Each structure stands twice: as structure tokens, then as C-alpha cells.
Amino acid sequence: MTLDCIYQAQRPPQANEKLVAQAAIMAAGGPATNAAVAFATMGGQATVMAAVGQHPVTALLREDMDQVGVSVVDLAPRRQEPPPISSIVVSLSGDRAVISRNAVGLQVEPQLADLSSIDVVLLDGHQMALSQQIAAAAQQAGIPVVVDAGSWKPGFESILALAKVVIASANFQPPNGTALPYLQRLGIPYIAITRGERPIVVSDQGTVSELPISATTVVDTLGAGDIFHGAFCYGWQGNFVAALNKASQVASLSCQYFGTRAWIAEYC
């Protein structure tokens, strides 16, 4: 979980240049966090497991999660250091520039997780050891595991093989092959590869097709992929393509608004 400082400006600043932003917001971010927000917005009960800690800045993260109705399980409750902070400039064209810290320095040891009331598990790969433990427990309990494969991360192979669904981005490049054949070889029954405004590549139990994306007016694409994953998890009732289509609609809606929260009021 990150603290996202998001600015809307004509363009990103150049070296030694200062720009005045037209708008700015702060919100909790990170792939699983944004997905949980979408899941809760659509009516689900979402819980995020993340290393948060006790730094004063984390009060902003907790308050934001309270406002959107997402519960938080803190994986590092004694941590005193600040959370990862992302600074994002969203151009008026909808493009974005991001500088951030990921969870490399925030890895936690595997720990028990209560999955008794969980219907679906989404893993984003930022806590790999814990993700593997949870994926194995979920698979044993018959709980579907969905993996957000935004980009390749060391150790990803340990949880991909336990997934029922993998939703990858065009940036996902495994070390030994292209994305779709690699994921199919792992025996994953449901695979989708999102490609921005281009059609989604779908592998539904081995049957490959493409799902068109509806044209939309883009203001900001920040978090759209994460929102897609959360919406998919909420809408998946067995029909893979239908859930992908609904997720695409929700993600497209989010792209019409600046930041990762403004779309919620329109959806609700």
C-alpha cells in the first residue's frame, strides 16, 4: 500500500522546472488497494493485507480506506518507517509519469491468514512469500485465486501455478517465453491479457479469442488496470468473458475522471 500524491498538469516538469498543478489529490494506492476499492464500490466486502505500520503518514492511508469501506490487515504493525510514496503527474492528454518505491524493502514473513469468510483471493505479487502461502491455502480450501500480473516479479512462478485466473498486462514478460503460451503451459484455466484500448486477449479454458474495448474519453488512466481486477473479482460468477466485459466497463468509467477515486461517485 502506497501513499499516492497525484497531480494534474499540462505535462510533467522538465529538469530544474517548476509547474503549477491544476488539481492534486492524495489517496492510498497500490494494485491490490485500488482493486479492493473497486470491489467495495461495487458492493463487496474487501480486505487488504498490506505492510502499513505506525508512521504518522499511515493515518492518511487508514482514513482513506475507512472512507471507501475497505478493511485493512496490517502485516507490519510495529513498523515506524514511512510507507512507500508515489508521485504521479497526469498530463491533460491522459498520459502519466510516475516515480515511486515498491514493496521490495517491505517484505514480510509468511503468516496465518483467516480465509474462512473469503470468496475470492487477489494477489498482486508485491508480497511474494506471503502470496504463495495464501494461494496454496486458498487452493486447498477451494477458493479461486486471481493473480494481477502487471509485470514480471522474481518468484512469480510460485503463485502463478496456483492461480485459477491470471489477468496480465501487455507489460507482463516472463523470462522464458511470451505471456500467453507461458501461462497456458502452467495449466491456468482462465487467462486475460489487457492491452489498453486494444482488445483483451482471452484464453477461456484453452479457447483463445479477443474481447473488444469500448471507446471512451480518457482523462486519466492511473489505476485503471487495478480497478479492472477488482471489478472482475466482484463480477465473476462463472462466466469469464462476461466478468471481463463488466470489468472493462468499470475501468473505462474510471478513465473518464482524474485520480483513482472520482469515478466512485458516478458509479454509485
Side-chain angles (χ1 to χ4, degrees), residues 106-172:
L106 281 170
Q107 294 299 296
V108 301
E109 295 297 321
Q111 50 194 273
L112 294 177
D114 181 9
L115 302 180
S116 58
S117 61
I118 301 300
D119 297 311
V120 60
V121 168
L122 173 69
L123 304 172
D124 67 10
H126 281 293
Q127 292 286 351
M128 200 62 74
L130 180 62
S131 294
Q132 182 180 8
Q133 180 191 41
I134 290 177
Q139 187 187 62
Q140 186 175 11
I143 302 169
V145 174
V146 180
V147 174
D148 166 5
S151 60
W152 180 263
K153 301 174 182 66
F156 233 156
E157 64 278 2
S158 66
I159 63 172
L160 289 171
L162 298 169
K164 190 166 187 178
V165 178
V166 172
I167 301 177
S169 76
N171 295 326
F172 179 75

Side-chain angles (χ1 to χ4, degrees), residues 1-8 23-30 33-34 37 56-65 67-68 83-88 220 222 258-262 264:
M1 185 180 292
T2 64
L3 175 64
D4 287 353
C5 302
I6 312 170
Y7 306 89
Q8 187 179 50
I25 61 172
M26 287 193 299
T33 299
N34 288 330
V37 171
V57 170
T58 63
L60 299 173
L61 304 178
R62 297 180 190 280
E63 182 179 353
D64 184 43
M65 291 293 91
Q67 290 180 352
V68 293
I85 298 174
S86 296
S87 293
I88 303 119
D220 182 4
L222 182 65
F258 167 62
T260 54
R261 298 288 186 270
I264 294 175

Side-chain angles (χ1 to χ4, degrees), residues 243-258:
L244 291 173
N245 189 54
K246 178 62 177 178
S248 174
Q249 294 173 9
V250 176
S252 294
L253 172 66
S254 74
C255 291
Q256 299 175 36
Y257 298 89
F258 167 62

